[in-house]
Amino acid sequence: MNIFLLSSQVLFFGFGWLFFMRQLFKDYEVRQYVVQVVFSITFAFSCTMFELIIFEILGALETSSRYFHWKFNLYVILLVLIFVVPFYIGYYTVSNIRLLQRQKLLFACVVWFTFMYFFWKLGDPFPILSPKHGILSIEQLISRVGVIGVTLMALLSGFGAVNCPYTYMSYFLRNVTDSDILALERRLLQTMDMIVSKKKRIAMTRRQMYQRGEDQNKQTGFWGMIKSVTSSPTGSENLSLIQQEVDALEELSRQLFLETVELQATKVKHTSEWCSTLLLY
């Protein structure tokens, strides 16, 4: 059964290597073999731990064998996560600084010790320390890794819960075509023409009322005064109705304009997303 676990680890390592080369690292020209090896080792031992959980449920291996491989996988993953990965990140960061290239190993060690200080101080606010376990015991290390992992998972899940609907909501919206936008723009132009024609009618009616008022002012005498008092302007009621229609059409034109802008923005977003998807593939 140990041979089965070792062979499965080799298969997981090869799959992680191929996935890293074919999918994650295919668009990069700079090849870092240390990154490939570290990723493949982490992937292989993580899959092995998942495999051991399945064996624990099914009872496939002996208890002592499962316990040995479980502790061995935990030690390897903790060694990679706490010692190898932070040191290599610090070493790679220092190597890109020209002033520190002569003593980059020393400065990489300084960066790693700084990381270890903050990593260890992270457990002070939490009830992690226990006299039953040593300083470098597996309980002390995995508890701090668990605190960092839970915090990062909470941040990433919150970000994903907000970003995912915003990113993929456009796929559930209706497809906007050029004919839809043209039809809406045609309705907007027709509404604007109706507004202009009704405003012309209002202007013509007011002009006629003004001319009629001048003619009435020219009439003198008692009968002229009686006629001016008793007669009401014929176009006053029509003006109020036409003005109400103009107000309603102006509000409709605003709504049509906003809807046209929204449709155009949706179409541009669809086009950009399709272009980005094609570029990714």
Side-chain angles (χ1 to χ4, degrees), residues 149-169:
V150 170
T151 305
L152 290 178
M153 287 298 294
L155 293 174
L156 292 175
S157 62
F159 175 77
V162 176
N163 186 52
C164 183
Y166 177 77
T167 303
Y168 296 101
M169 189 179 293

Side-chain angles (χ1 to χ4, degrees), residues 133-280:
H133 308 295
I135 297 177
L136 295 178
S137 63
I138 190 171
E139 290 81 6
Q140 299 285 351
L141 297 177
I142 201 170
S143 59
R144 287 167 171 79
V145 172
V147 170
I148 298 175
V150 170
T151 305
L152 290 178
M153 287 298 294
L155 293 174
L156 292 175
S157 62
F159 175 77
V162 176
N163 186 52
C164 183
Y166 177 77
T167 303
Y168 296 101
M169 189 179 293
S170 59
Y171 292 104
F172 300 97
L173 299 176
R174 66 189 181 102
N175 189 17
V176 180
T177 59
D178 294 333
S179 59
D180 297 333
I181 298 176
L182 290 176
L184 199 59
E185 289 178 349
R186 194 177 298 112
R187 287 182 58 191
L188 179 60
L189 291 176
Q190 291 176 357
T191 306
M192 296 299 293
D193 292 336
M194 292 174 64
I195 292 172
V196 172
S197 63
K198 288 184 180 297
K199 285 187 175 182
K200 285 182 179 180
R201 287 179 57 187
I202 291 174
M204 293 294 294
T205 305
R206 287 178 177 174
R207 183 179 179 183
Q208 292 176 2
M209 291 173 62
Y210 179 73
Q211 292 177 355
R212 191 180 300 114
E214 287 185 349
D215 295 336
Q216 290 177 359
N217 290 330
K218 291 179 181 180
Q219 296 178 1
T220 58
F222 179 77
W223 293 107
M225 293 176 61
I226 296 297
K227 188 177 180 181
S228 63
V229 172
T230 56
S231 63
S232 61
T234 57
S236 59
E237 296 181 358
N238 294 331
L239 279 179
S240 62
L241 293 175
I242 296 173
Q243 186 63 44
Q244 290 177 3
E245 293 178 359
V246 169
D247 295 337
L249 289 173
E250 286 180 349
E251 183 64 27
L252 178 61
S253 66
R254 294 190 194 97
Q255 297 298 326
L256 290 175
F257 177 76
L258 293 176
E259 190 174 353
T260 304
V261 173
E262 185 178 357
L263 286 180
Q264 290 178 352
T266 305
K267 182 185 175 183
V268 171
K269 188 175 181 180
H270 271 290
T271 306
S272 60
E273 287 179 354
W274 278 111
C275 291
S276 61
T277 305
L278 290 176
L279 288 175
L280 287 176

